[in-house]
């Protein structure tokens, strides 16, 4: 992967390809994808990053559209969610790729699928609270940082936004 970050506000670069053998990407509700999404989120956010497990699942999960990617063996490797829009502005969150699978394009494929879902339902922008350590990942997908950094769940974050054409 040799591309450079998209300039803020410009069209993002095309998504990276899925790993060669391709995978299954599902979009659905919490009843359908919740158990597998929870397992991934607990592994990444609670066990790896030390976030309080009480903060990990919330009432928004029942309202969100969830994405789940599985490897060709059916193992869940990536998850994220798209919340209902507020005045046309959607919010993406809980993006988590299994540690051993990072850097292979899973995160970008998942993010693009959630952005596309927001666009298709007519949202005009997507907002997210990015961990500072992941800011470059979102910049590459056409998001722009806005405002000052702040702390959330004990981790440095920054707001990022992408307009949807
Ligand atoms: C952040 C995260 C979702 C990225 O997923 P990923 O599958 O590793 O990312 P991809 O392989 O799809 O990367 C896509 C592009 O972003 C770049 N990238 C990935 N992670 C990055 C990071 N942390 N900082 C800067 N660039 C990054 C990749 O190099 C790649 O660039 P390229 O297309 O030019 O080669 C994943 O690392 C993760 O789950 N981290 C732990 C949890 C977390 O921080 N979640 C985000 C909460 S806001």
């Amino acid at each position: 992967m040799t591309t450079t970050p998209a300039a803020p506000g410009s069209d993002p670069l095309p998504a990276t390809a899925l790993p060669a053998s391709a995978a299954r990407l599902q979009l659905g509700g919490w009843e359908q994808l919740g158990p597998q999404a929870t397992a991934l989120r607990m592994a990444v956010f609670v066990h790896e990053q030390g976030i309080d497990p009480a903060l990990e699942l919330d009432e928004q999960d029942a309202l969100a559209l969830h994405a789940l990617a599985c490897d060709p063996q059916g193992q869940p490797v990536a998850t994220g969610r798209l919340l209902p829009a507020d005045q046309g502005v959607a919010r993406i969150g809980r993006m988590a790729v299994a540690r051993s699978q990072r850097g292979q394009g899973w995160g970008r494929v998942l993010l693009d699928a959630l952005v596309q879902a927001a666009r298709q339902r007519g949202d005009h922008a997507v907002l997210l609270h990015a961990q500072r350590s992941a800011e470059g990942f979102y910049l590459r997908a056409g998001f722009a940082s806005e405002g000052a950094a702040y702390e959330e769940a004990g981790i440095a974050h920054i707001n990022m936004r992408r307009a949807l054409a």
Side-chain angles (χ1 to χ4, degrees):
M1 301 181 190
T2 55
T3 49
T4 51
S10 70
D11 284 340
L13 296 164
T16 50
L18 272 174
S21 43
R24 207 156 65 101
L25 179 66
Q26 296 170 266
L27 292 174
W30 189 240
E31 323 71 46
Q32 183 193 354
L33 302 179
Q36 291 164 305
T38 299
L40 270 174
R41 280 158 54 170
M42 287 295 169
V44 171
F45 294 120
V46 175
H47 296 120
E48 182 185 334
Q49 297 190 336
I51 291 175
D52 181 349
L55 299 176
E56 192 34 58
L57 306 179
D58 63 20
E59 69 288 346
Q60 308 253 53
D61 280 321
L63 309 173
L65 177 70
H66 296 269
L68 182 80
C70 294
D71 71 13
Q73 287 74 45
Q75 286 301 312
V77 293
T79 188
R81 72 181 186 184
L82 173 70
L83 298 181
D86 180 4
Q87 299 186 328
V89 180
R91 183 155 156 208
I92 286 175
R94 302 298 200 274
M95 288 281 304
V97 175
R99 194 173 200 167
S100 64
Q101 303 290 332
R102 291 183 195 150
Q104 301 179 52
W106 294 102
R108 181 60 190 274
V109 165
L110 206 91
L111 180 62
D112 283 354
L114 291 172
V115 167
Q116 181 64 8
R119 181 184 285 114
Q120 280 176 349
R121 71 184 187 189
D123 300 344
H124 59 73
V126 176
L127 176 72
L128 53 83
H129 294 185
Q131 292 187 13
R132 290 303 301 269
S133 60
E135 190 175 358
F137 165 74
Y138 295 111
L139 285 170
R140 291 178 114 74
F143 284 78
S145 307
E146 56 180 32
Y150 56 92
E151 198 173 289
E152 193 173 273
I155 293 177
H157 281 75
I158 190 156
N159 287 354
M160 300 188 78
R161 182 182 295 265
R162 178 175 155 188
L164 304 179

